[in-house]
Amino acid sequence: MTRPTIHDVARAAGVSLSTVDRVLNDREGVRQATHIRVTQAMRDLGYERNIAAANLARRRQYRLCFILPGGPNSFMRGLEEELRARADAWEFTTLERRIVPPFDDAALVHALRGVDPAATDGVAVVATDSAMVRAAMAELRDRGVAVVTLVSDLPSSRRQHFVGIDNVQAGRTAASLLGRFCRGRPGRIVLVAGSMLVRDHAERRLGFEQVLRAEFPDQSILPPLEGLDDQDIVAAHLGRTLADHPDIVGIYSLGAGTRGVARALSRPAAPRPAVVVHELTPHSRKALLDGSFDAVIHQDPVREVQATVLVLRSLIDGAAIDPEAARIGIEVFLRDNLP
Amino acid sequence: MTRPTIHDVARAAGVSLSTVDRVLNDREGVRQATHIRVTQAMRDLGYERNIAAANLARRRQYRLCFILPGGPNSFMRGLEEELRARADAWEFTTLERRIVPPFDDAALVHALRGVDPAATDGVAVVATDSAMVRAAMAELRDRGVAVVTLVSDLPSSRRQHFVGIDNVQAGRTAASLLGRFCRGRPGRIVLVAGSMLVRDHAERRLGFEQVLRAEFPDQSILPPLEGLDDQDIVAAHLGRTLADHPDIVGIYSLGAGTRGVARALSRPAAPRPAVVVHELTPHSRKALLDGSFDAVIHQDPVREVQATVLVLRSLIDGAAIDPEAARIGIEVFLRDNLP
DNA sequence: GTGAAAGCGCTAACAA
DNA sequence: TTGTTAGCGCTTTCAC
């Protein structure tokens, strides 16, 4: 009636607990014949290992460290908040977090070097792209620490996995929405980026242009504005651009600084341009509700933390990574499907 | 260094393990003064209870039973598959599933009556709306079984929770998309439902009409087609309707039978109507990719199972339900953000 | 009211 | 190559 345990398996196979344990964990020192007997007994009884009990006995602790950029970026603050809130909610896992100055390679390298391999099993890092960073990551790997990138990837590094959305796809999705929202209104579309030096922004732009060019030939794209994720700069640049080009029918904001977009739009133009932005924050949510934005493309920080923990634990255990559990979807929010 | 355990708390408070346990679990038989001493010690040490160990010692088993409608409905089959696949992946939890004939109150009641309260702690049921079903659910509750509805709710019953999307919002979202996709093309929109007798379909229609009427006055809505979630019926009805009304610019399919929509559209009209359907299946996915559908509104069966298990366990433990963990979001898929 | 001791299912020395 | 034994952190008799 109750689930069989290693005791039952041991009895059925006529061996001791330790032998069952050896078979279970693929440890050596078991004769072929015994191995088969035990395996057979497991199969017969439908034995299913209790992982919680195993971890308890092992006193397993996955010691993970998240390295995130600081600054006003709402999305990063959301990630940080989630880490803080759920720090104690994971079984057998401790979550440490380090905040480093944003867009600062040297600081990131410093943080990576500051990770103690003796007290850390895995690291998740929002990477900035540089050779120094790559080297520091490689160093950690050499010292036996599992390393994954988070949100922004660094493909040619020795990171073992990337947890985050596909940014080219995100850009394509944005174009697909914005193009349809503007259909019947030929005109220009303006892109607001943080900086084209950041990998994810560059990828989003790429995807956006692919789809817009191919499928919405009535719309043309202005050269991207670089707002450095700063709402004041964004508001100023975008305001000027809107004034200069009365034929702007759409805006795609692919970085942070979304509040600046909302401000630039506060002076009503008729008809107001269609707007698609990234990341659901209190501000983008408000803009969606009051009708000044049309869609928000989002990645869920809660899921991102969850997937990262899962991936790191698998990596540490040398287990296979469940691709479904590790995938971060690109979410689309309109006014009516807001969470 | 290592996390404090009840041993540490006991030592610090100068009491035994049992007393700490009594305080921890709010059992009676502890003097006020002792209680305070123990609580203080926990606070001082930053004690955090190890739930896995507790469940192990308790030999806790959450025995859950899912009751789902059979038939060709892709979404239900997805749920069933997920249940099968992850039946053994939950700690301390056994998942049983029963498939009943669809849209059959009597069969559902029979299944509910067939649940053994002595061997089942919680039930999740895709409800159909009837007094008999309500009564059977109440009976289960009286026998101490936790009951939640899944996907399709039964609000005035004694179910303790509903796990699924807000269907009014889903309809609003569909209208919001379809309206914008058709903008600049005044005309008619046709609704394809399974049956208006099913609660979720009725709710989706309601939400759709709310938004379309208020925000897209250029589009008018034809009376809904009832396709009984059967692709042949849907294909026939919709084909005829499209032929009769050359001014149809949009289609919203709010039930199953999506394949029928694709078939009806296979004879090309120019420009083809904008199409929004429900549930991501291999067929709707294909239609999205080949450009015959514009958007799919989806609820994730994986998440649905997960949330249901979490909710039922909380209910059984008498614990609070985390609203975030229990929420099922309305997902929007376009060609480019397909998972 | 409180405590001692056995045990949940599994692992990890250490013997044999 | 195999078995014995003492835990992991918590719960649960049963005694005091």
Side-chain angles (χ1 to χ4, degrees):
Chain A
M1 194 75 285
T2 162
R3 252 161 73 142
T5 72
I6 45 170
H7 287 89
D8 304 313
V9 176
R11 199 174 325 110
V15 297
S16 76
L17 295 186
S18 337
T19 301
V20 177
D21 181 66
R22 287 185 187 102
V23 172
L24 207 54
N25 294 291
D26 284 320
R27 281 190 264 271
E28 52 198 23
V30 181
R31 226 187 343 214
Q32 176 96 48
T34 319
H35 195 288
I36 292 173
R37 272 220 319 288
V38 173
T39 314
Q40 194 46 250
M42 289 193 193
R43 180 148 299 144
D44 293 346
L45 297 176
Y47 171 77
E48 197 92 36
R49 163 213 220 118
N50 182 331
I51 296 162
N55 279 336
L56 181 61
R58 252 185 251 249
R59 266 179 296 174
R60 190 92 188 74
Q61 275 289 93
Y62 301 88
R63 297 160 303 174
L64 311 183
C65 176
F66 283 69
I67 304 179
L68 311 176
N73 185 320
S74 298
F75 179 72
M76 292 301 165
R77 301 290 67 76
L79 268 183
E80 188 186 350
E81 179 49 32
E82 175 64 15
L83 281 170
R84 194 201 321 276
R86 302 191 45 86
D88 300 308
W90 291 94
E91 294 287 311
F92 311 110
T93 305
T94 55
L95 263 37
E96 190 191 345
R97 56 200 133 73
R98 307 210 176 170
I99 310 299
V100 298
F103 307 111
D104 183 340
D105 291 339
L108 183 52
V109 169
H110 186 74
L112 287 165
R113 292 249 166 78
V115 170
D116 176 9
T120 310
D121 304 303
V123 168
V125 55
V126 178
T128 59
D129 196 338
S130 94
M132 275 154 54
V133 171
R134 260 176 262 263
M137 281 165 61
E139 226 170 85
L140 271 179
R141 287 293 313 286
D142 287 335
R143 307 245 211 129
V145 178
V147 176
V148 304
T149 47
L150 183 61
V151 181
S152 191
D153 195 15
L154 203 43
S156 51
S157 69
R158 283 186 52 212
R159 59 99 178 126
Q160 291 156 286
H161 206 90
F162 165 62
V163 180
I165 61 170
D166 178 330
N167 285 298
V168 177
Q169 280 210 146
R172 296 177 57 92
T173 305
S176 179
L177 281 168
L178 203 53
R180 274 182 271 219
F181 289 170
C182 300
R183 184 140 45 194
R185 287 205 278 153
R188 291 173 194 271
I189 286 181
V190 56
L191 262 54
V192 182
S195 153
M196 277 309 155
L197 301 175
V198 189
R199 171 163 233 115
D200 41 350
H201 290 195
E203 289 177 345
R204 288 173 189 174
R205 176 192 179 186
L206 181 74
F208 188 87
E209 297 193 339
Q210 279 174 3
V211 168
L212 206 82
R213 293 237 171 87
E215 297 181 23
F216 303 96
D218 284 355
Q219 319 300 341
S220 65
I221 307 176
L222 287 167
L225 263 50
E226 304 201 35
L228 299 173
D229 289 2
D230 179 309
Q231 55 162 316
D232 293 325
I233 302 178
V234 168
H237 280 205
L238 183 57
R240 203 171 324 120
T241 306
L242 286 171
D244 291 351
H245 301 271
D247 59 343
I248 288 178
V249 293
I251 300 175
Y252 174 36
S253 169
L254 48 73
T258 293
R259 264 169 286 182
V261 177
R263 279 166 49 197
L265 285 170
S266 59
R267 281 167 298 175
R272 81 153 171 75
V275 180
V276 174
V277 308
H278 271 265
E279 310 312 353
L280 191 62
T281 65
H283 306 95
S284 59
R285 181 193 193 86
K286 187 174 155 291
L288 222 40
L289 286 171
D290 73 23
S292 48
F293 290 177
D294 295 274
V296 172
I297 299 195
H298 185 70
Q299 51 187 327
D300 181 6
V302 173
R303 189 164 162 69
E304 219 131 46
V305 168
Q306 201 154 309
T308 308
V309 171
L310 253 36
V311 165
L312 277 174
R313 298 216 296 201
S314 301
L315 249 19
I316 291 164
D317 287 339
I321 292 173
D322 175 358
E324 249 327 290
R327 238 200 73 250
I328 307 297
I330 297 167
E331 298 183 69
V332 173
F333 291 116
L334 310 175
R335 188 196 53 198
D336 292 297
N337 69 331
L338 279 175
Chain B
M1 195 77 280
T2 161
R3 251 161 75 143
T5 74
I6 46 170
H7 286 89
D8 304 312
V9 175
R11 198 173 325 111
V15 297
S16 76
L17 295 184
S18 334
T19 300
V20 177
D21 182 67
R22 284 190 260 265
V23 172
L24 207 53
N25 294 291
D26 284 319
R27 281 190 264 270
E28 52 197 25
V30 181
R31 223 186 342 212
Q32 175 95 51
T34 319
H35 195 288
I36 292 173
R37 270 217 323 286
V38 173
T39 313
Q40 194 48 249
M42 290 193 191
R43 180 148 301 142
D44 292 347
L45 297 176
Y47 171 78
E48 196 94 35
R49 166 214 218 115
N50 182 331
I51 296 163
N55 279 336
L56 181 61
R58 252 186 253 250
R59 268 179 292 176
R60 190 90 189 75
Q61 274 289 91
Y62 300 89
R63 296 160 305 172
L64 310 183
C65 177
F66 282 70
I67 304 179
L68 310 177
N73 186 319
S74 298
F75 179 72
M76 292 302 167
R77 301 289 68 75
L79 268 183
E80 188 185 350
E81 178 49 33
E82 175 64 14
L83 282 171
R84 195 200 321 276
R86 302 192 45 87
D88 299 308
W90 290 94
E91 294 287 313
F92 312 111
T93 303
T94 57
L95 264 36
E96 189 192 346
R97 58 200 131 74
R98 307 210 174 170
I99 309 301
V100 298
F103 307 111
D104 183 340
D105 290 340
L108 183 54
V109 168
H110 186 74
L112 287 165
R113 292 249 167 78
V115 170
D116 176 10
T120 311
D121 304 302
V123 168
V125 55
V126 178
T128 60
D129 196 337
S130 95
M132 276 155 53
V133 171
R134 258 176 263 263
M137 280 165 62
E139 227 170 86
L140 270 179
R141 287 294 313 285
D142 286 335
R143 307 243 211 131
V145 179
V147 176
V148 304
T149 46
L150 184 59
V151 181
S152 191
D153 195 14
L154 203 44
S156 51
S157 70
R158 283 187 51 213
R159 59 99 176 123
Q160 291 155 287
H161 206 90
F162 165 62
V163 180
I165 61 170
D166 178 330
N167 284 297
V168 177
Q169 280 211 148
R172 296 177 57 93
T173 305
S176 179
L177 281 168
L178 204 52
R180 273 182 272 218
F181 290 170
C182 301
R183 183 140 47 196
R185 289 205 276 154
R188 288 174 195 271
I189 285 180
V190 55
L191 261 55
V192 182
S195 153
M196 275 311 154
L197 300 175
V198 188
R199 172 163 233 113
D200 39 352
H201 290 195
E203 288 177 348
R204 288 172 189 175
R205 177 191 180 188
L206 180 74
F208 188 86
E209 297 193 338
Q210 280 175 2
V211 169
L212 207 81
R213 293 237 171 86
E215 297 181 24
F216 302 95
D218 283 354
Q219 319 300 341
S220 65
I221 307 177
L222 287 167
L225 264 50
E226 304 201 35
L228 299 174
D229 289 2
D230 179 310
Q231 55 162 317
D232 293 326
I233 303 179
V234 169
H237 280 204
L238 184 57
R240 203 172 321 121
T241 306
L242 286 172
D244 292 349
H245 300 272
D247 60 342
I248 288 178
V249 293
I251 300 174
Y252 173 37
S253 169
L254 48 72
T258 293
R259 265 168 285 184
V261 177
R263 280 166 47 197
L265 285 171
S266 58
R267 281 166 298 177
R272 80 154 171 76
V275 180
V276 174
V277 308
H278 271 265
E279 311 311 351
L280 192 62
T281 65
H283 307 94
S284 60
R285 181 193 192 85
K286 187 173 154 295
L288 222 40
L289 286 171
D290 72 24
S292 48
F293 290 178
D294 295 273
V296 172
I297 298 194
H298 185 69
Q299 51 187 327
D300 180 8
V302 173
R303 188 162 162 70
E304 219 132 43
V305 168
Q306 201 153 310
T308 308
V309 171
L310 252 34
V311 166
L312 277 174
R313 298 216 295 201
S314 301
L315 248 20
I316 291 164
D317 286 340
I321 291 173
D322 174 358
E324 248 327 291
R327 239 200 72 249
I328 307 296
I330 298 166
E331 298 182 69
V332 173
F333 291 116
L334 309 175
R335 188 194 55 197
D336 292 298
N337 69 330
L338 280 174

